[in-house]
Amino acid sequence: MRYFVWFSYDGTAYHGWQIQPNGITVQSELQRCLSVLLRKEITLTGAGRTDTGVHARRMAAHFDTQQAFDPKLLTRKLNGLLHQDIAVYSIEPVSDNLHARFSAVERTYRYYVHTHKDPFLRAYSLELHYKLDYELMNQAGRILTEYDDFGAFCKAGSDVKTTLCQVTHAQWHQTSPTTWYFEITANRFLRNMVRAVVGTLVEVGRGRMSLDDFRQVIEGKQRTLAGESMPAKALFLEDVKY
């Protein structure tokens, strides 16, 4: 029987989602607690991999077991066993052909920035002290939807078979006089892609890169052409859709 787990996490203390040999990860913690409660080794398959320090508001993973249990009771017990920075919303049975990673058709990330010192934003938003042209950055964001190869924004040395992605939405939104977030939706994302995209858009917003230059970065397909990778703390996986 296959089950989907829906959950969120604050990634500050974790070395990303995927199990690592020398660090605590979200996957390792969830698997450990599920294995304790079900009294057998559980292996989770996530909807994707978030990097060290990246957060998720709505993430999915699946596991297989023939063991009978009450999903609502297991959810409650799991939340009691997990650290406060991981919260499970539900565990539900699904068909065996529904795969947390390969069946996902859409993923959405948000990157948060603010322009004034704020002690309540410092852990989850990037403080910027230069003026940005958000309309110009939105024009660059729309350019992303015209392409399907994003090798320029993929971390060097990544073990990916393809750098093709289908970006359907990429836009900055203002939420107050001093706060914004960048939202991007695609069928899949490359390692470090969103933070590299944000870093490159900031170059556009600062007037250091024209829209033509931005196109050339994408068409060049080389990570060295794009902007810097922005800090992980301000990045959230917002949703996964099937």
Side-chain angles (χ1 to χ4, degrees):
M1 187 75 182
R2 177 159 293 181
Y3 292 88
F4 254 50
V5 184
W6 289 98
F7 56 99
S8 64
Y9 55 87
D10 178 336
T12 304
Y14 299 97
H15 291 260
W17 156 257
Q18 191 173 33
I19 289 178
Q20 304 292 332
N22 299 309
I24 298 174
T25 68
V26 179
Q27 182 184 16
S28 65
E29 284 300 288
L30 268 173
Q31 286 188 180
R32 179 183 65 81
C33 292
L34 273 171
S35 298
V36 168
L37 293 172
L38 294 177
R39 294 185 172 86
K40 63 171 293 183
E41 187 174 346
I42 297 296
T43 300
L44 284 166
T45 299
R49 294 186 244 177
T50 55
D51 294 333
T52 299
V54 175
H55 320 290
R57 294 193 199 276
R58 183 170 167 80
M59 171 69 154
H62 78 252
F63 68 94
D64 298 318
T65 182
Q66 297 304 316
Q67 187 170 338
F69 62 86
D70 180 338
K72 289 185 178 179
L73 180 59
L74 181 60
T75 299
R76 188 163 64 248
K77 288 184 175 180
L78 191 55
N79 278 320
L81 193 57
L82 286 164
H83 294 288
Q84 291 295 314
D85 49 15
I86 303 176
V88 175
Y89 299 128
S90 66
I91 299 173
E92 52 196 50
V94 296
S95 63
D96 289 343
N97 62 359
L98 190 64
H99 194 282
R101 180 182 175 189
F102 298 123
S103 298
V105 296
E106 187 176 278
R107 297 165 173 85
T108 297
Y109 279 88
R110 287 182 181 178
Y111 195 92
Y112 294 83
V113 301
H114 60 285
T115 57
H116 282 70
K117 186 176 181 180
D118 188 328
F120 303 107
L121 292 178
R122 71 188 190 281
Y124 305 107
S125 176
L126 180 65
E127 187 175 337
L128 299 176
H129 295 286
Y130 35 76
K131 186 176 180 180
L132 292 173
D133 185 334
Y134 287 92
E135 176 52 38
L136 192 62
M137 290 195 294
N138 277 336
Q139 291 181 44
R142 288 190 286 273
I143 289 173
L144 291 170
T145 65
E146 301 174 16
Y147 291 86
D148 58 10
D149 192 328
F150 296 97
F153 306 115
C154 182
K155 186 172 183 178
S158 296
D159 56 342
V160 293
K161 295 180 180 179
T162 175
T163 52
L164 299 180
C165 306
Q166 207 170 15
V167 175
T168 54
H169 172 79
Q171 185 174 357
W172 288 89
H173 300 267
Q174 185 171 11
T175 53
S176 83
T178 61
T179 57
W180 288 260
Y181 67 81
F182 173 67
E183 183 174 87
I184 183 168
T185 300
N187 64 329
R188 66 187 291 263
F189 287 92
L190 308 172
R191 187 178 179 189
N192 208 224
M193 176 175 164
V194 181
R195 290 192 284 147
V197 166
V198 173
T200 311
L201 289 176
V202 165
E203 291 295 293
V204 173
R206 296 183 72 179
R208 295 179 170 183
M209 184 182 292
S210 69
L211 294 179
D212 285 339
D213 292 336
F214 187 72
R215 285 185 182 276
Q216 289 176 22
V217 167
I218 300 172
E219 293 171 2
K221 303 177 185 179
Q222 297 295 318
R223 180 65 186 91
T224 53
L225 300 174
E228 68 174 310
S229 178
M230 303 302 269
K233 68 176 185 178
L235 181 60
F236 287 74
L237 171 62
E238 291 286 331
D239 199 11
V240 183
K241 291 186 178 179
Y242 294 88

